[in-house]
Every structure is written in structure tokens, then in C-alpha cells.
Amino acid sequence: MGGRRSATPVGRLARLGFVDADRAARLVSVGPLADLVGQEAVLEALASSPDPDLALLGLTRLLEARPSGDVAAAMAADDDLRARLSAVLGTSAALADHLARHPDDWRLLADPEATASRPTEAGLRRGLLQAVGADPEAATPVASGSHGAVLDALRVAYRRRLLVLAARDLAEGLTVDDVAAELADLAAAALDAALAVARAELGPEVEPVRLAILGLGKCGGRELNYVSDVDVIYVGEPLAGGDEEAALRTAVRLAAAIARVCTTTTAEGALWEVDAGLRPEGSAGPLVRSLASHTAYYRRWAKTWEFQALLKARPVAGDRVLGAEYVAAVQPFVWEAAAREDFVVDVQAMRRRVEEHIPAGQADRQLKLGPGGLRDVEFSVQLLQLVHGRSDESLRSPHTLTALAALSDGGYVGREDAASLSDAYRFLRTLEHRIQLHRLRRTHLVPSDERDLRRIGRSVGFRSDPVAELTHTWRRHAREVRRLHEKLFYRPLLQAVARLEPGQARLTPEAATARLEALGYDDPAGALRHLEALTSGVSRRAAIQRTLLPVMLGWFADSADPDAGLLGFRRVSEALGTTHWYLALLRDAGAAAERLARILGSSRYATDLLLRAPDAVAMLASDDDLRPLAADELASEVAASVGRSVDPESAAVAVRAIRRRELFRVSAADVLGLLDVDEVASALTDVAAAAVAGGLQAATRAVEQELGSELPTAIAIVAMGRFGGRELGYGSDVDVLFVHEPSPGADEKDATDAAHAVANELRRLLALPAPDPPLLVDADLRPEGRQGPLVRTLASYAAYYERWSLVWESQALLRAEPAAGDAALGARFVTLVDPLRYPRNGLARDDVREIRRLKSRVEAERLPRGADPATHTKLGRGGLSDVEWTVQLLQLQHAARVPGLRTTSTLAALESAADEQLIDAQDAETLAAAWRLATKVRNAIVLVRGRADDSLPKDQRDLAGVARLVAGGGATGGSGAASLVEEYRRATRRARGVVDRVFYG
């Protein structure tokens, strides 16, 4: 039975794709469509249209209107006509209405001359002027005929052009660029025709006037929709010798009449709204101004958004010469607007206000104004144009996609980003056109009705599942547009470029030399050579550098050493310039460019690390990327890298590469003020611990390979000194003790030999020559110092400490903490030494005297010759050693009864001592402040100079750089250096007073 039904007209039509096959069968069974039953080609064309039912109904109405000629026969015989008419009728109910009113207009779609190619702007103007009875060749065309008839004639002529354009668009796949440009030209022709009608309406008695109509917005940019408001500005001037006031009164009457001609609804409908709201002072201002009045307004009163609107100003109708004079007069204001205070912020705020005013419930369907909509693309492009177009005239196109291509060619927008935005913009504009074509109504909302979505989806080429495919593609483009809008529209580089003085945004040799001297570069000639090396040529790399460097020169100049910063940037760029992501990162990603400039101009240490692994610049994209890795995450990465290595040397290279990367991460975050001094110390300790653990893993594997068996002993590495206290600085060695315990049944000598081999191999691997900061593993705090064995068994340590331990060793053990290797063995070592470092009865009086004697000896003998005790951060008065010995004395005296003192951390122990009133709270605060300042200064010295030094620099540039880092970037120049020295002396002088009272008694 199903087979018999499929042979019926209803089944056949359903199979062709008609949704309401019953109605379709009724339409083709009687009346003017009866002959279509046998016209398979016509039925298939209708069925292939976006909405077969709508197309069939439209064709029915056309035939019922009795057009001249046999439409069905013509469609059957003419493939092009069949495709065009079916596409129009299946898309646009409004154009079907037009054909029903003017049934012979179907012939336009069969006319090769009408459909062969895009009409010229002059041809469109001629046709519409002729439609209203005006002479296109006249200097001031004036319409003829009755007013009502002329209005209808204009609408009919306009719709006919629209009909042909829609047919070519839908059936022949015109690009949305071409469609929008033709619509803009058609609107311009309609404005000229409306002006002719307005002149006829006023009559010849009025004062003559030159009237120019400037298109703005989509009309000015030649990217108009099928139905848009047409944004205009009017400029009026009297004829030579005429009365200006009278002429402007005439111009106002003409402008008002033009709006009426276009917007009045007649039997043939209306064209569109003529919107003059973008004129100076908006709706409150005069409808028409003279050129001088316009110029005066923009010079004194215009707001940021008005210059953005003028970006697309174009003469479209009326006196084109006057229109061109207007554009020439206002363009300088447009390209100077970005220099206005808060320009970028104003444009960004305006975009946010537009979004905030979208009616509730519409944002997710708004093609134009919503997030990921057309305005996101347009605002992004316009902001980039206005900022960079001051100095680059290639960016000054009023057309969005042309401007976007120029931005891409100039390196202001990444090629992939520009391509994604272009594709999305074309799709969204096409979708907007298809929505508007249905009823020829001005709307930017994606419909929610499934039948509407199906029609639109089929009209843009989705056939398998039109609704789902359309929705998926639209949402995908919207997400990409929003992502790129937020990336481009809010990039910090825009504000920095906008703040440059005119002429500084392009690096001509003359401008660059003058700017380098003004910014305080010590060697402008050398800096200029770096700039020439970075920006010369026509490569994309050079183009992007020309965009970045005018801003970065200022950022370098804000650092301690601008010349070093620029040199470092050149070296990094030469290392990474061919990678696709590097310059794009600096141009697009947050504050990466400014961060890089600050680091390169502030820290030789970080710069050297970066030059050894330039890929690390990617970390500068976000704060999260600069946060130190957690200790367990770092340890896991190191262990995995060592596990993948084929030999001990390659394992060491892998460990040191990770360490180098993490040192850059920490030092960069430190320079940028993202870490405090305690976080820096903790992060550096975690990096060192991971490296030591990786070295132990590699060394163990090497020795086991040599032995041909597993190690006959367990090994633990105990951190000592700053390493054990989690207080490492950039220039610190790692102090350790090696402890081992033979495996059950193993020969002790063999076990000890194996442990020695591992310890020596570990130190060798981590000290191999390499382009990294060295990691020196120092075991001099072991029993008997350098004279004693490098590795001892736990039992040997126990025997030594029981019989021979001195008070200084108990003091050193205060910072003992397991760092790597066998965790259980490390814990047992700590248990072993706890009674020594936390003596049950505190310190005997002789032991206190011995510690004080040792401290005095250190001050007298270890301070380097020529060093100033007042500015030596480690051994100087009130420096690190003073504070640490004072705290350690308190620990040795009281830790047995005060659990809070049983810590390897200097500051934690000091806080606990204050809590227990072992030291006055104010004194503890004084010591902590001095310790933190000395630590920060010591780290800053390494960061600035690239090498360790314990004394405040004598070189004023280095001292100024240290001062900037210590002050978090706030201190500048010599005054900052002097302030640091004064602050350091004051803090350490106070700390020394506390040490004299608490330590020396």
C-alpha cells in the first residue's frame, strides 16, 4: 500500500521535499499550476529552493496575477531563470509580494543584460533618477510627475533592482562583500533620486544650495544590508555669492524632504529609514551644517564615538565635490582621535554599553549586537584602525574586511586570527541577509521557529540537517568571534600605542634617534642599529616589530638599563623571530610584551636564562604561567625526564634544563613583583630539591649499571643551611649531608663504596659544563668537614655525634631536613640529630660563649677584604648572619621546651620566640624586617648583575637597578639608589642593636 501511495501526486511531492505535500498537491492539480505536474525540472527547482512550499505558493500567486508570457514554459526552458526565480520565491515572501503586484518583473530574471554582471554605481543612479522623471545628466536633477506617482515609481524601481540582486545572490553565490557593496550603491542612487524629488517638492523659488549627503556606517563602508537604516550627514553651502543662512534653510528643508521620500509608506511600501542621528550634537543639533561649522565642531566638541563613526564617512549623493571636501576636512580629526586621553578605554566602554542595552532574552539570538556578533568584529577592527592608522595609512579603509586584511598584512593581527574573523564575519553577514530577505524587514535576530531556521539553513547551503548544521556553524563562529574580540579589543598594547605622541608610532630613523635620546638611552647609535636590525625589510616579522618597538622603547626606558633591554630583545627576537607564535604572543597576549621589556631591562640573570631557552618567553602570557610549580609536580616531571634519558649525562641535561626553565619562571615573577621574598625562597628551594633528587636518580642508575646490580645500600640526602631552611637565594649553593644504610646482608665496605660512588657521580653530573647557572652541591658541613668521609652510615653519624660533636655542629643541624633519596632513612637521621640540636637542658654557659666567640671570629675573618660591614648583606652588621645566629642561639637554648622553635625556618623560629616572649616582639619585628630586606637585596643583586655578590653594588646603574627591584619597580634613578642605601643602613643598624642585646648579651 505504501508503494501505491508513493506513486500519487502527494507522495511524489513529499519525496521531492515539500513539507505540506497535501497543499502542494492541491495547488498543482488545478488552476495555473496544473501544467507543472509534468514539468519535472520546474518542480525539482522549486523543491531545491530554501523553502519549497513557500516557492510553490509564490509561483502560484505570480501565475494568478496573469503575467505576460508563459512563466512555467520559460522556467522549463531556461535553467538560469528556473534557478533564480525558484531561489527568490523560496526565500523571500516580500519579493514574491512584489512579483504578485508586478507580475511582468519575472522577465528581469531572464534578461541576460540585467543579470549578467554587477551594475555600476553610475548605472544605478541613472536608472533611479529616470524612474522619478529626472534627467541624470542635469547638474541638479529634479523629479517630474505627481508626487504620489513619483514615490511609487522610486519604490518599484528600487525593488526591481533588489529582485535582480537577490536572484543573483541566491542562485549564483555572490560574495557577501559584493552584495553589500551593490546594496550601498543602490541606496546612494536612491538618495540622489530622493534629492531630485525633494527639489521638485520645494520648487525653484527657494534659495539655491549645494547639498552633500555623506554616508556613514554600513552605507559609508559599502557594506549595507538588504534592509538597514541609512546613516547620513548633510553638509550645505550656498552657491557663489549666495546667502548662507537662506541656503542652509533650503538645505534643511531638502534634507527633511529626502527623509520623507524614503520613509513614507505608499501602496508600494517604503524604502528604509534615513538616520541623521550621527550628525554633530545628534538629534539636538542642526540637521544641516556648513563645512566650516562641521569642522569647528569636530575640532572642539566631538566625542570619541563620533570620530569612530567618521571612519566610514563617504560622499554618496548630492554635491560630490562638497562631499569630498568634507571628508578631506574631517579625516585628520579621525586619525588624531586615538591620541585623546582615555580614547581606548572610551571605545571599550562604549562596546560594553551596547551589550548592556540588548533586551533581555535576545542576547543569545542577536547577530549584530550580542556577544560574538557583527559588532564585536567591527569594533575590534575599528579600534585597531584608529590606534595604528595614525601612522599607517594602509589601514584607513572604511570597509571592515578590507581593513582587516590590511591589519593582517601589516602584522597588527595574526593571519590565522584575521582569516577566522573574516570567515565568521562573512557567514554572520550572509545569515543576516537571509533573515532580512524573507520579509524585507530590518532585523538582526536569528529566528527560533524551526521552519524559518530550515529555510535559512538551506539558503546558505546546509542540506543534510539544515537546522542543526546552521545552529552549530553559527554558534561556532560566534564563539570564535567573541574569543578574538576579547583578545584584540582589550589587548594592552593598544593603550600603549595610543599614548604615543604623533610621529612616534612609526620608527623612521630620524624619529627613532630623537626618541632614543629623549628616553635616556646611553648609546642611541647602538640602539638605532638594534632597531634597524629588527625592523628593516618587508617581512611580516619586521612589520610586527615596527608595531611593537615604538611602545617597547618606552618600556625599556622605564627599566634600569634600557640599552641592555633593547639588546636582549634583539637577541631573543633573533632566536625566536622565525617561530610563528613569538611575535604574535607579544602583540596579542595580555601584558607579555611589557613584561618582557621589564625583565630584559631589569635583570641580566633572567635575560641570560631566557637566551639559553628562548621558548620560556611563552610563560609571560599570564600570571598563572609564572606561578612556581608545586614541589610534587616538579619532582614528578624531573623523575619522568630522568627515567626517559638514555644515559647519566643526558639525564643531567634534562634535569638542568628543567631547573633552568624554573629559575626563569621564578626570576621573571620576582622581577614583575608577582612573588614576595618568602615565596621566592620557597620556590628556589623546591627547584633545587627536584634537581638534587633527579641527580641522585641518575647517579644511582649509573652506579647500578656499573655494578651490574642494585645498590647494596639505601641513600638519603639531608638538606642543610639555607637549603634545609627553605631559604635559598639565586646565588646559593646547596649544602647537604649524605647518609646511607647498607641493605640487610650487604658487605658494609661494598655498601660504603657504592654510596661514595653515587655521591661523587651526583656532584659530577650537576656540575658538568653547561649553559646553565651552576648547581654546586656542598657537603662541607659533614662531620670533620672536608677532612671527613663524604658519606657515612647512619650508625657512623650516631657514633660521631655521641663522641665528637661540637656546638657549631649542633647549630648547623638546626637546619637539617631530608631532601631526597630514602625518605625513611632521612626521617631516622632527623630523629638521630634532634637531641643534639634541641638539647634537653639548653646550652651550657661555655657553649654560649663558644657560639659568641665563633660569631666574632666569622665577623673578623670572613668578611671580604675591602667590603663595607654596613652594606654586606650576609656578614655585615645587622645582616643575614647576625639575624640567623641570634635566632639559632635562641633555638639551641629553648627548643627542647618550646615546640615552635623546632623548625628549620629562620622567620618561623623568630615568630615562635616572640610568641613565647623569649625576645621582645618589637625586636623580633626589627630582625625579621632586616632579614627580609637583606635577602631581597641579595637576590636583587644577582638578578641585576647576573652573578652572586653579597655587597650593595658600587656601580650606580647596578645600584639603581637593585633599588627598583627591591622597591617593586617604583624607585627610579639615583634617588632610588640613595633611598635604598639609606633604608638598608637604617634597617640593619636597628637589627644590629637587637643582636648586641639578645645575642651578645
Side-chain angles (χ1 to χ4, degrees):
M1 186 171 179
R4 290 195 298 272
R5 178 173 174 79
S6 66
T8 66
V10 173
R12 177 186 173 205
L13 291 168
R15 190 171 63 253
L16 283 172
F18 289 86
V19 175
D20 192 344
D22 290 319
R23 187 185 70 164
R26 288 196 301 273
L27 289 175
V28 300
S29 63
V30 296
L33 286 179
D35 292 340
L36 277 185
V37 176
Q39 298 285 356
E40 192 70 26
V42 175
L43 278 175
E44 288 181 353
L46 294 173
S48 296
S49 72
D51 188 337
D53 299 86
L54 183 65
L56 185 62
L57 180 60
L59 185 58
T60 302
R61 295 178 62 209
L62 171 60
L63 295 178
E64 287 174 346
R66 300 185 181 280
S68 59
D70 188 341
V71 179
M75 288 179 70
D78 187 339
D79 293 345
D80 291 335
L81 170 64
R82 189 165 62 245
R84 291 172 188 143
L85 187 54
S86 298
V88 168
L89 294 174
T91 300
S92 178
L95 289 176
D97 291 344
H98 173 85
L99 285 170
R101 290 195 305 273
H102 304 280
D104 286 339
D105 281 359
W106 70 270
R107 293 180 178 278
L108 292 170
L109 306 186
D111 182 356
E113 185 176 342
T115 58
S117 61
R118 173 178 160 185
T120 64
E121 187 176 359
L124 292 171
R125 180 177 182 273
R126 183 181 304 108
L128 293 195
L129 284 172
Q130 289 172 342
V132 299
D135 179 5
E137 307 306 323
T140 54
V142 179
S144 61
S146 71
H147 188 69
V150 165
L151 293 187
D152 281 343
L154 175 59
R155 283 149 178 72
V156 171
Y158 184 90
R159 291 284 189 277
R160 284 173 176 159
R161 285 293 187 181
L162 210 61
L163 172 67
V164 174
L165 173 58
R168 291 168 47 233
D169 179 13
L170 294 165
E172 298 169 20
L174 297 185
T175 67
V176 72
D177 315 45
D178 289 339
V179 173
E182 187 171 330
L183 286 166
D185 292 345
L186 183 56
L191 287 171
D192 259 326
L195 177 57
V197 176
R199 289 189 185 279
E201 185 180 310
L202 266 61
E205 291 78 18
V206 296
E207 179 74 19
V209 65
R210 298 172 63 197
L211 182 66
I213 305 175
L214 283 297
L216 299 177
K218 293 191 181 305
C219 182
R222 299 187 77 239
E223 44 196 15
L224 204 63
N225 293 328
Y226 275 100
V227 187
S228 282
D229 288 352
V230 175
D231 295 308
V232 298
I233 280 180
Y234 298 103
V235 185
E237 291 287 337
L239 299 182
D243 183 296
E244 181 174 321
E245 287 190 14
L248 287 176
R249 284 196 296 272
T250 299
V252 169
R253 294 175 64 189
L254 286 173
I258 289 169
R260 288 195 300 274
V261 168
C262 294
T263 58
T264 298
T265 300
T266 73
E268 294 294 338
L271 293 183
W272 18 253
E273 293 288 329
V274 179
D275 189 347
L278 295 177
R279 67 185 184 269
E281 299 179 82
S283 57
L287 186 58
V288 184
R289 289 176 182 256
S290 67
L291 180 56
S293 176
H294 275 287
T295 305
Y297 174 83
Y298 289 120
R299 181 177 289 115
R300 295 189 61 189
W301 307 111
K303 298 180 176 62
T304 296
W305 67 265
E306 294 178 275
F307 297 113
Q308 187 176 352
L310 287 176
L311 179 62
K312 293 182 178 291
R314 176 176 68 94
V316 295
D319 191 317
R320 299 297 183 95
V321 174
L322 178 57
E325 291 172 358
Y326 172 88
V327 171
V330 302
Q331 284 298 292
F333 299 122
V334 173
W335 301 112
E336 293 167 4
R340 293 162 64 99
E341 187 175 357
D342 293 329
F343 169 80
V344 173
V345 174
D346 286 347
V347 176
Q348 292 169 342
M350 181 164 46
R351 174 64 186 121
R352 288 193 293 271
R353 284 195 298 272
V354 169
E355 288 186 26
E356 290 166 2
H357 285 85
I358 300 172
Q362 289 189 7
D364 64 335
R365 296 192 296 124
Q366 252 285 356
L367 276 177
K368 179 180 179 182
L369 305 178
L374 295 163
R375 276 290 188 268
D376 273 357
V377 181
E378 292 160 356
F379 264 71
S380 297
V381 170
Q382 289 164 22
L383 181 56
L384 289 167
Q385 283 182 277
L386 290 166
V387 169
H388 297 295
R390 291 188 299 164
S391 55
D392 189 345
E393 295 185 6
S394 70
L395 307 180
R396 297 184 178 183
S397 171
H399 186 265
T400 300
L401 291 174
T402 302
L404 182 55
L407 287 164
S408 176
D409 291 343
Y412 304 96
V413 176
R415 280 185 289 242
E416 291 183 4
D417 290 349
S420 293
L421 275 181
S422 295
D423 290 346
Y425 189 71
R426 286 190 170 96
F427 177 83
L428 295 175
R429 289 297 309 277
T430 301
L431 183 54
E432 185 181 44
H433 283 185
R434 298 295 190 266
I435 293 169
Q436 293 182 348
L437 264 176
H438 184 49
R439 297 291 182 189
L440 285 183
R441 291 177 182 166
R442 181 174 174 266
T443 179
H444 310 285
L445 289 178
V446 177
S448 55
D449 181 79
E450 187 161 333
R451 181 165 180 175
D452 288 332
L453 292 172
R454 182 175 183 272
R455 180 189 68 252
I456 296 166
R458 284 169 61 91
S459 77
V460 295
F462 298 128
R463 294 289 168 153
S464 300
D465 187 349
V467 175
E469 291 176 80
L470 172 69
T471 303
H472 171 76
T473 305
W474 162 42
R475 296 297 188 191
R476 174 172 59 80
H477 281 304
R479 285 193 301 271
E480 182 68 357
V481 164
R482 191 59 174 184
R483 180 185 73 82
L484 292 173
H485 169 73
E486 292 176 347
K487 171 181 176 181
L488 300 174
F489 195 63
Y490 295 100
R491 63 163 61 149
L493 190 65
L494 283 172
Q495 293 193 44
V497 174
R499 285 194 293 266
L500 293 175
E501 293 296 323
Q504 291 182 352
R506 298 300 284 179
L507 284 170
T508 62
E510 298 78 11
T513 301
R515 187 145 192 258
L516 290 167
E517 292 174 349
L519 288 172
Y521 284 76
D522 285 349
D523 182 10
L528 186 60
R529 288 194 296 273
H530 298 322
L531 293 179
E532 289 171 346
L534 288 163
T535 62
S536 60
V538 295
S539 67
R540 184 173 184 80
R541 170 185 171 187
I544 298 175
Q545 296 280 26
R546 286 192 289 270
T547 302
L548 290 168
L549 279 164
V551 175
M552 295 191 74
L553 286 177
W555 288 333
F556 291 135
D558 287 338
S559 64
D561 194 344
D563 299 82
L566 181 56
L567 172 60
F569 182 68
R570 177 181 176 180
R571 294 170 68 191
V572 173
S573 294
E574 286 173 346
L576 286 175
T578 57
T579 58
H580 72 282
W581 57 266
Y582 165 60
L583 292 176
L585 172 81
L586 300 186
R587 180 191 59 206
D588 300 333
E594 184 175 4
R595 286 175 164 178
L596 179 61
R598 283 182 60 186
I599 290 165
L600 295 176
S602 302
S603 174
R604 293 176 209 171
Y605 180 85
T607 299
D608 288 344
L609 289 169
L610 184 58
L611 290 171
R612 290 165 181 153
D615 286 1
V617 77
M619 294 179 190
L620 304 181
S622 72
D623 288 357
D624 288 343
D625 289 337
L626 287 170
R627 298 302 304 180
L629 296 185
D632 55 351
E633 183 180 355
L634 192 54
S636 296
E637 182 183 2
V638 168
S641 296
V642 172
R644 291 191 298 267
S645 301
V646 297
D647 55 59
E649 283 75 14
S650 62
V653 169
V655 169
R656 293 174 62 162
I658 294 172
R659 176 173 179 263
R660 177 180 60 233
R661 183 197 69 201
E662 293 309 306
L663 288 176
F664 175 74
R665 193 193 305 274
V666 175
S667 60
D670 192 1
V671 170
L672 297 172
L674 300 177
L675 301 176
D676 63 30
V677 65
D678 301 329
E679 290 172 320
V680 170
S682 179
L684 291 175
T685 302
D686 288 340
V687 172
V692 169
L696 178 61
Q697 181 183 348
T700 299
R701 194 168 71 184
V703 172
E704 287 180 337
Q705 289 173 351
E706 185 176 334
L707 293 174
S709 63
E710 290 187 359
L711 284 182
T713 188
I715 298 177
I717 298 177
V718 177
M720 301 288 285
R722 291 187 170 278
F723 187 24
R726 297 188 59 76
E727 299 165 350
L728 285 182
Y730 295 108
S732 300
D733 295 342
V734 290
D735 293 310
V736 301
L737 296 179
F738 293 99
V739 56
H740 81 104
E741 186 167 57
S743 303
D747 180 81
E748 184 167 333
K749 182 178 183 306
D750 291 343
T752 299
D753 289 345
H756 270 91
V758 169
N760 284 321
E761 179 69 357
L762 178 150
R763 299 173 80 191
R764 182 187 76 84
L765 291 174
L766 294 182
L768 285 173
D772 305 301
L775 179 61
L776 300 180
V777 178
D778 188 341
D780 288 354
L781 292 177
R782 65 187 184 266
E784 302 178 78
R786 296 181 184 178
Q787 307 306 314
L790 180 63
V791 183
R792 288 177 182 261
T793 64
L794 185 63
S796 175
Y797 276 107
Y800 174 85
Y801 288 134
E802 183 178 358
R803 295 186 63 190
W804 307 109
S805 176
L806 300 176
V807 68
W808 73 263
E809 291 177 298
S810 295
Q811 183 180 351
L813 288 169
L814 284 169
R815 300 217 222 178
E817 184 75 13
D822 190 292
L825 179 57
R828 289 169 61 203
F829 178 86
V830 168
T831 301
L832 169 69
V833 301
D834 274 352
L836 277 77
R837 56 182 178 173
Y838 311 136
R840 179 179 301 176
N841 297 316
L843 284 181
R845 187 171 299 176
D846 288 345
D847 289 337
V848 173
R849 279 199 299 269
E850 176 63 12
I851 289 176
R852 288 171 177 169
R853 186 188 67 79
L854 288 173
K855 177 70 171 69
S856 298
R857 182 179 171 188
V858 167
E859 290 180 19
E861 298 179 3
R862 294 195 183 179
L863 190 71
R865 182 176 298 176
D868 182 354
T871 57
H872 195 278
T873 59
K874 183 177 180 181
L875 300 176
R877 292 190 293 268
L880 296 172
S881 179
D882 267 2
V883 177
E884 290 165 1
W885 281 65
T886 301
V887 172
Q888 289 161 15
L889 178 60
L890 292 172
Q891 288 180 283
L892 289 167
Q893 289 174 318
H894 306 288
R897 65 178 183 82
V898 179
L901 291 176
R902 299 171 202 164
T903 173
T904 60
S905 166
T906 299
L907 294 183
L910 184 57
E911 183 179 358
S912 177
D915 290 342
E916 295 293 324
Q917 299 182 347
L918 302 175
I919 184 173
D920 179 78
Q922 184 61 51
D923 286 348
E925 186 176 331
T926 298
L927 292 179
W931 189 90
R932 282 197 170 94
L933 179 59
T935 300
K936 197 165 188 178
V937 168
R938 199 175 185 221
N939 281 341
I941 292 169
V942 179
L943 289 173
V944 168
R945 305 185 71 175
R947 64 181 188 276
D949 195 331
D950 292 321
S951 291
L952 282 171
K954 291 183 172 60
D955 179 88
Q956 287 302 302
R957 179 183 285 270
D958 287 349
L959 183 59
V962 170
R964 286 171 181 267
L965 293 181
V966 170
T972 57
S975 61
S979 296
L980 173 64
V981 174
E982 182 181 344
E983 179 188 0
Y984 184 83
R985 287 177 179 271
R986 181 169 56 248
T988 54
R989 186 169 59 248
R990 290 173 177 171
R992 181 63 182 201
V994 175
V995 172
D996 286 342
R997 288 197 309 275
V998 176
F999 182 81
Y1000 286 110

